[in-house]
Amino acid sequence: MDRQKKLGFGEILPLTLISAVLVCLVLSIALSITKGSVYRLYKDIGATPWHRPETVTSAEKSARYSDEDISKAMEAALKVYEEKWYTYNGVYLLELRYEDDFSESRQDENAGDWIYLRSRVYTGYADTVEERFRGKFHEDAYWAVEHRADGTWVCHGCADMSAEN
């Protein structure tokens, strides 16, 4: 008969204390290496390596575009964000929205049929983020999405309106 040895309180307590000390040590090392950016990122937007904030999307009814066109333009912008912009502790697209007035106001920027989507973006503390943008919310960012002749929507990236001034 195979018997398993049960651990008593005298053996569990030291293991628990050692585990707690190791967790604190790892967290202290991580905070010192990242200069506290992991904590600030979590405090600002709730992002961790295993969880990132969802992108909230919204669109008002448009006189110019169908709901499907706006949806496809948003999908194109989200795809570019996912593939080229997002990194943990880098860029976070928090909100993406379509507003007729805003999109119309930017129509003279490019020839052709374009949708401009307002967004709220947060830049973290990664080395890929310029020092002047680290830990900042960008309320005036927008995404430019082109409607091509073949019916596809292609996002050309994000810009910050405050950087234009």
Side-chain angles (χ1 to χ4, degrees):
M1 188 181 280
D2 195 20
R3 291 188 163 167
Q4 294 181 344
K5 181 182 176 190
K6 292 185 179 184
L7 295 177
F9 180 76
E11 296 163 322
I12 292 176
L13 182 62
L15 290 174
T16 303
L17 290 174
I18 290 170
S19 298
V21 168
L22 286 175
V23 166
C24 289
L25 180 65
V26 168
L27 287 174
S28 297
I29 291 170
L31 286 173
S32 67
I33 289 173
T34 63
K35 299 178 182 97
S37 67
V38 171
Y39 172 73
R40 288 181 287 178
L41 184 66
Y42 177 75
K43 183 176 73 67
D44 289 349
I45 61 171
T48 63
W50 53 88
H51 170 76
R52 69 175 163 158
E54 295 291 323
T55 301
V56 176
T57 60
S58 63
E60 65 179 31
K61 282 291 185 191
S62 174
R64 182 173 180 177
Y65 295 103
S66 70
D67 291 346
E68 183 181 359
D69 285 339
I70 294 168
S71 178
K72 287 184 179 184
M74 286 184 159
E75 287 173 13
L78 288 168
K79 181 178 179 188
V80 168
Y81 163 69
E82 290 289 334
E83 292 176 356
K84 297 183 179 177
W85 287 69
Y86 170 75
T87 58
Y88 171 71
N89 206 5
V91 176
Y92 293 87
L93 178 58
L94 302 174
E95 184 179 349
L96 185 65
R97 64 189 180 279
Y98 174 80
E99 298 168 354
D100 248 358
D101 292 342
F102 176 76
S103 191
E104 289 297 320
S105 71
R106 308 219 60 94
Q107 287 301 320
D108 61 346
E109 290 183 13
N110 297 295
D113 191 15
W114 290 70
I115 284 182
Y116 298 91
L117 303 166
R118 291 190 83 142
S119 65
R120 183 170 183 249
V121 176
Y122 179 84
T123 47
Y125 302 90
D127 292 337
T128 57
V129 177
E130 285 185 47
E131 186 71 35
R132 65 188 173 121
F133 294 126
R134 290 184 183 169
K136 298 209 186 263
F137 288 95
H138 305 273
E139 306 291 338
D140 289 331
Y142 69 97
W143 296 77
V145 187
E146 178 185 12
H147 189 206
R148 298 246 169 112
D150 65 0
T152 60
W153 289 91
V154 178
C155 181
H156 292 275
C158 183
D160 188 348
M161 289 184 295
S162 62
E164 297 171 4
N165 300 328

